[in-house]
Amino acid sequence: MPFLGWAKLRTATALGSGALRADAYETVTCSWLSLTTFAGLILNAAFGWWWADPVAALAIVPLAVREGLEGWRGEHDE
């Protein structure tokens, strides 16, 4: 999924498509969410760290908030 997100982002830049750019950022954010969830679950299963999954979820909050605020404001990189 991360490779798909970056490919979408390159295509969106080439086409000048705001909709595809937003979809690309959603794909990248989804990839980060999946990675942190997987890491938390692996740490929980391997070491019994019950708190690893919630900490992993909190680690993604800054990225999700930043992306949400940029989307809300209509900001994007060119």
Side-chain angles (χ1 to χ4, degrees):
M1 287 301 272
F3 300 114
L4 176 62
W6 296 119
K8 284 181 180 181
L9 192 55
R10 281 194 307 272
T11 304
T13 301
L15 295 175
S17 173
L20 186 55
R21 176 179 297 281
D23 187 57
Y25 280 125
E26 188 278 330
T27 302
V28 171
T29 302
C30 184
S31 298
W32 279 109
L33 286 168
S34 297
L35 178 69
T36 56
T37 300
F38 186 65
L41 292 173
I42 291 296
L43 289 171
N44 186 10
F47 301 109
W49 295 349
W50 60 268
W51 48 267
D53 193 36
V55 170
L58 289 174
I60 201 71
V61 168
L63 174 68
V65 167
R66 186 190 68 162
E67 293 297 330
L69 288 174
E70 286 179 3
W72 185 270
R73 295 178 185 146
E75 298 172 3
H76 62 292
D77 300 331
E78 288 291 338

